[in-house]
Amino acid sequence: MRTASCPKRPTSSGTAPPRWWPANWVACAVCCLGVGWPALAQDVATREDFRRWYVEAGVARGGTWTASLGLNLPWTFERALFDGQLTGHWDAYISQWSARNATPAGVREAWTQLALVPTLRFRFDQGRSPWFIEGGIGLSVLDSRYQTRRKTFSTQFNFADHQALGWSFGERRQHEVLLILRHASNAGIKKPNPGENFLQVRYSKVF
């Protein structure tokens, strides 16, 4: 598989890295993913069934609640990794953020978020275990800038990432529940960039 050339971290003696450096990590990940895609596509079709719909809800520190509807759609690859199975899928969702009683007077209390996140999943015991972990990073947009008494975003466009622990059940593992930590921020592209973290629970089902 071809290798991608990732952005190099600027260095200068006694000088701290520029504030925009975190965004370079995102560019590197996207670059590597794009270059590696043809090789991944040569692998056999995954045993995971990622044609799933899901509902999800959670809360951030400070009282902002979120509820989501989403779809998981598969990539066509499967890789053995250590003693487990590595697979990938797209995570596309729409969320409603609600910060009632947590915003300054005269400021809106709800926002709609759209996001698309390429995600990698690792299932234990060569893919036989009902337990798995997953993580991904992608793009997100809010219908207006997020502002509460605690935090103010400087951009509507942000990066969205998550890490999750999940469990599959049912005769065909058609049901799943996940505990998810979601994060949204602009990777330091523009200040202020406080970011927001949500702890969420998801139920998903094959369709």
Side-chain angles (χ1 to χ4, degrees), residues 7-79:
K8 294 184 177 180
R9 182 173 184 170
T11 59
S12 58
S13 178
T15 302
R19 291 173 179 257
W20 49 263
W21 170 244
N24 281 8
W25 288 106
V26 177
C28 176
V30 173
C31 178
C32 292
L33 178 61
V35 173
W37 185 272
L40 295 176
Q42 295 172 6
D43 286 342
V44 298
T46 176
R47 291 191 299 263
E48 292 273 9
D49 191 345
F50 281 114
R51 290 175 177 84
R52 296 176 174 272
W53 61 266
Y54 67 80
V55 292
E56 189 175 287
V59 65
R61 181 182 178 185
T64 299
W65 289 86
T66 181
S68 306
L69 291 174
L71 290 175
N72 290 159
L73 297 173
W75 302 348
T76 308
F77 87 97
E78 174 188 341
R79 283 288 171 90

Side-chain angles (χ1 to χ4, degrees), residues 65-161:
W65 289 86
T66 181
S68 306
L69 291 174
L71 290 175
N72 290 159
L73 297 173
W75 302 348
T76 308
F77 87 97
E78 174 188 341
R79 283 288 171 90
L81 182 65
F82 303 114
D83 189 38
Q85 176 198 46
L86 184 67
T87 53
H89 62 275
W90 294 104
D91 183 10
Y93 59 90
I94 180 170
S95 297
Q96 186 76 5
W97 296 9
S98 178
R100 184 174 298 178
N101 301 322
T103 58
V107 175
R108 66 184 298 169
E109 299 178 343
W111 302 263
T112 299
Q113 177 195 28
L114 295 175
L116 180 64
V117 181
T119 300
L120 291 175
R121 173 177 292 189
F122 179 81
R123 190 178 289 276
F124 302 96
D125 191 22
Q126 298 178 356
R128 292 186 294 263
S129 174
W131 294 95
F132 60 87
I133 55 175
E134 70 173 45
I137 182 168
L139 299 177
S140 164
V141 61
L142 292 164
D143 59 346
S144 69
R145 288 191 306 112
Y146 176 67
Q147 181 179 359
T148 69
R149 292 191 183 96
R150 296 178 58 251
K151 296 182 177 182
T152 298
F153 281 17
S154 59
T155 57
Q156 291 176 239
F157 291 91
N158 293 280
F159 296 102
D161 65 79

Side-chain angles (χ1 to χ4, degrees), residues 174-193:
Q174 67 269 35
H175 305 282
E176 289 181 353
V177 290
L178 292 84
L179 181 64
I180 301 173
L181 179 62
R182 285 202 185 274
H183 173 78
S185 69
N186 68 23
I189 294 172
K190 188 175 180 180
K191 300 295 184 180
N193 180 43

